[in-house]
Amino acid sequence: MNENNSILLIDPGFHPETAASCSLIVKIGSGNLSYTIINNDETRVIALYDEPECTNSIQKFNQLLKTDIYLTLPYAKISIAVNTGNIAFIPNELFNEDEINTYTQYFSEDSSKQIFVQPDRSAGFTTVFSLPLLTEKSISGIWPHYKVYQQNQGLIALGKGFEKQNLLLDFSAHTFEALVFNDGILQFQQHYEFDNNEEFVYYLLLIAQQLNLDFEQVNVLVSGIIHLNDEKWNSIKKYFTNLSLLNTDIALNCYVIEDMPKHYYAGLLSIYICG
């Protein structure tokens, strides 16, 4: 752990000249930043950087681009998942590519002009989003090619394998993402910030009330910065009967992070299956 509460775990056998056979995955959250390097030939995690709590993740990302030699190597594949409020989910039967401006008219003014459209046939909706302007300025020109996702795209991909109704909660230090799936189809997604456990419980019960979740029937899966029997875990357990840590089931050799709780990095590592 460094002075800024970040960690960098790296396989000592990793050589920068092998980057051409590797993938870089970056996840820029609202108050957290992480990235991982994966050897594609061996489907093996060879590096992971994580700063679970940073005031300005974009500013921190800009700093790393100048100081972290691993970020700017010529990777075979680069995926960037970004938290953005400039996002809309359109049912596929209503989506019209000629009416993009209709979906983006309520995006914030600092939105970039580039619009990303990601259709999902199995989920039944198309995601339309743009990056915050500062984020786009940070990544444009750094790499000749990269693919952009909204922050939770990896978790949505994992959710396609869920049966029945599931509430997935992914935590950072002071935020959490809530996603609700019915038989693998995403029904709800929202981002929340909280200062204390009381605020977290308020949002948790609000979600349950709005979506009419059955406390005894819904499966609650948690990932990110949460531990068994910590304050957040016990609060969830107080109301919901079926609670467990998210099992990612991603076919990756995670030896380099085997001493870390696997559910910590579900949101980051799951992006690997999106490409």
Side-chain angles (χ1 to χ4, degrees):
M1 191 73 71
N2 298 324
E3 291 181 1
N4 60 356
N5 294 323
S6 66
I7 62 170
L8 175 61
L9 303 173
I10 189 161
D11 186 331
F14 172 56
H15 300 289
E17 58 267 25
T18 64
S21 62
C22 298
S23 291
L24 170 70
I25 298 173
V26 181
K27 185 168 179 280
I28 304 174
S30 62
N32 57 294
L33 174 66
S34 57
Y35 74 76
T36 186
I37 302 169
I38 297 174
N39 183 299
N40 296 325
D41 296 333
E42 302 173 2
T43 57
R44 179 167 58 93
V45 177
I46 54 179
L48 185 141
Y49 172 91
D50 181 41
E51 188 166 345
E53 186 174 1
C54 49
T55 304
N56 189 321
S57 55
I58 297 301
Q59 183 180 46
K60 181 61 183 181
F61 179 61
N62 286 335
Q63 293 173 356
L64 283 182
L65 287 173
K66 298 175 183 177
T67 60
D68 189 330
I69 63 171
Y70 298 112
L71 267 182
T72 54
L73 295 174
Y75 293 101
K77 180 181 176 183
I78 298 167
S79 302
I80 306 172
V82 184
N83 174 270
T84 176
N86 304 323
I87 190 168
F89 302 95
I90 316 300
N92 285 339
E93 62 269 21
L94 300 178
F95 177 77
N96 185 335
E97 61 181 358
D98 296 325
E99 297 181 357
I100 295 296
N101 290 337
T102 302
Y103 313 131
T104 62
Q105 62 180 318
Y106 299 110
F107 285 3
S108 62
E109 293 182 359
D110 65 348
S111 168
S112 68
K113 293 182 179 180
Q114 185 176 8
I115 304 300
F116 298 93
V117 177
Q118 292 178 354
D120 192 323
R121 292 183 179 178
S122 61
F125 62 85
T126 295
T127 304
V128 179
F129 70 100
S130 67
L131 303 182
L133 188 57
L134 290 177
T135 308
E136 185 188 47
K137 288 182 177 179
S138 297
I139 64 178
S140 62
I142 298 298
W143 300 287
H145 59 86
Y146 55 87
K147 190 161 185 179
V148 174
Y149 299 96
Q150 62 109 344
Q151 176 176 288
N152 295 322
Q153 198 65 43
L155 296 177
I156 293 172
L158 284 179
K160 292 178 182 179
F162 294 164
E163 298 180 352
K164 300 183 179 180
Q165 189 174 56
N166 293 266
L167 168 62
L168 197 164
L169 302 172
D170 185 58
F171 292 90
S172 64
H174 297 292
T175 69
F176 74 97
E177 307 290 327
L179 301 91
V180 175
F181 299 87
N182 283 316
D183 292 322
I185 298 176
L186 181 67
Q187 301 292 313
F188 174 84
Q189 175 181 234
Q190 190 59 268
H191 171 84
Y192 300 89
E193 297 183 7
F194 63 98
D195 292 325
N196 51 54
N197 193 61
E198 287 72 23
E199 284 191 9
F200 164 64
V201 172
Y202 169 80
Y203 288 126
L204 179 67
L205 296 181
L206 180 63
I207 294 167
Q209 180 186 42
Q210 289 178 329
L211 301 178
N212 294 316
L213 300 182
D214 188 323
F215 290 111
E216 295 184 357
Q217 296 298 321
V218 65
N219 296 315
V220 182
L221 307 169
V222 297
S223 60
I225 309 303
I226 187 170
H227 309 277
L228 292 175
N229 297 317
D230 70 7
E231 192 174 37
K232 295 191 293 288
W233 176 276
N234 289 335
S235 294
I236 303 169
K237 192 175 182 180
K238 179 180 178 180
Y239 296 100
F240 292 90
T241 301
N242 303 309
L243 172 62
S244 59
L245 297 173
L246 176 63
N247 181 7
T248 57
D249 284 332
I250 303 172
L252 285 173
N253 181 338
C254 296
Y255 174 78
V256 74
I257 56 173
E258 66 175 357
D259 293 331
M260 305 295 291
K262 234 181 150 180
H263 67 278
Y264 269 24
Y265 307 114
L268 174 67
L269 296 177
S270 60
I271 299 167
Y272 185 71
I273 64 177
C274 293

